[in-house]
Amino acid sequence: MATYEELFENNRRWIEQKTGTNKDFFLELAKDQNPDYLYIGCSDSRVTAEEVMGLGPGEVFVHRNVGNLVNNVDLNVMSVINYAIRHLNVKHIIVCGHYECGGVKAAMVSKDLGLLNPWLRNIRDVYRLHKAELNAIADERQRYDRLVELNVQEQCTNIIKTAALQLTYAAEGHPAVHGWVFDIKSGRIIDLHIDHERILRDIKDIYNLTGS
Ligand code: ZN
């Protein structure tokens, strides 16, 4: 583990490396950002955003919170989504959960976790929506893994419920919403193949905000 002082040394080396291959790297970076991707992931220190996707500065707009949640009254995540769609014009939105998620496990513990209660309640709601499927899984680890996947699916649905997504998608055919799980034990990204179009159709009678 790096010491606090080493972080600055690391930064100095990183600048050298970037300017070594392109001396104008930071001049170009300072001009503007035009990322194609919005990534919404868990705050877990083991699940980085850019690194696992092999992307560099300027390539992905990032939001992370405990449990990779998209809550419709969370001004933070809603501002990120609105800005990414309406101003950055991202082409893809990725919600990335991960197995062994402490947030997902904590959500199912039967005790008072203070301020975390209302936040993690969103995950209990996912469990309630998919209770029959989850309760049918006997193995506890497999049940948690499936809850991680279903949580990602529900957060993708929450993005599709927004006016920004619906209106921009109707007008421009993007962004596409994708659900991923990062498998911590192998480092592999698993695409859950969320059916964006089907979800959009399914929720239309209740959540349509396009005025048509
Ligand atoms: Zn997590």
Side-chain angles (χ1 to χ4, degrees):
M1 199 77 74
T3 65
Y4 177 74
E5 286 72 22
E6 281 168 342
L7 302 183
F8 295 94
E9 182 54 31
N10 290 348
N11 174 244
R12 198 186 56 72
R13 274 201 301 272
W14 177 74
I15 294 167
E16 272 177 13
Q17 184 209 331
K18 291 292 177 196
T19 52
T21 46
N22 174 7
K23 70 177 174 48
D24 294 329
F25 182 84
F26 291 102
L27 285 175
E28 287 164 14
L29 198 62
K31 279 183 197 153
D32 202 1
Q33 65 166 333
N34 187 25
D36 280 340
Y37 302 97
L38 163 61
Y39 170 99
I40 298 171
C42 185
S43 297
D44 193 303
S45 61
R46 300 166 297 177
V47 189
T48 61
E50 293 89 339
E51 196 178 335
V52 299
M53 297 185 282
L55 296 178
E59 294 185 294
V60 56
F61 202 59
V62 173
H63 178 81
R64 290 168 70 179
N65 62 37
V66 173
N68 40 272
L69 296 175
V70 177
N71 180 297
N72 72 315
V73 292
D74 174 15
L75 263 182
N76 191 344
V77 72
M78 284 300 149
S79 302
V80 166
I81 290 170
N82 263 274
Y83 186 72
I85 295 177
R86 291 183 153 144
H87 299 279
L88 295 175
N89 197 25
V90 295
K91 306 298 184 290
H92 302 272
I93 301 179
I94 297 154
V95 177
C96 184
H98 66 102
Y99 298 134
E100 308 300 325
C101 183
V104 169
K105 282 192 177 150
M108 300 314 297
V109 170
S110 61
K111 71 175 185 193
D112 180 4
L113 297 173
L115 188 62
L116 274 171
N117 291 336
W119 186 251
L120 297 178
R121 229 283 309 283
N122 293 288
I123 302 174
R124 285 187 203 270
D125 292 342
V126 173
Y127 198 107
R128 179 175 52 79
L129 284 169
H130 300 275
K131 191 176 163 185
E133 179 186 342
L134 288 163
N135 283 353
I137 303 171
D139 181 77
E140 194 183 7
R141 174 175 293 270
Q142 282 177 12
R143 196 161 62 241
Y144 272 115
D145 284 354
R146 186 62 186 140
L147 179 55
V148 164
E149 294 167 4
L150 290 169
N151 182 46
V152 167
Q153 183 184 302
E154 288 301 327
Q155 306 319 315
C156 288
T157 304
N158 288 341
I159 294 169
I160 296 171
K161 289 173 192 166
T162 66
L165 186 288
Q166 291 178 15
L167 289 166
T168 307
Y169 192 77
E172 300 177 34
H174 65 257
V177 179
H178 310 276
W180 290 359
V181 173
F182 179 72
D183 181 4
I184 268 187
K185 288 191 184 127
S186 67
R188 206 159 52 92
I189 290 168
I190 299 162
D191 187 347
L192 298 176
H193 298 291
I194 297 293
D195 192 341
H196 176 133
E197 290 277 351
R198 187 186 58 76
I199 294 173
L200 195 56
R201 274 197 311 276
D202 285 354
I203 66 169
K204 213 171 177 192
D205 55 343
I206 298 172
Y207 298 98
N208 184 5
L209 301 176
T210 63
S212 63

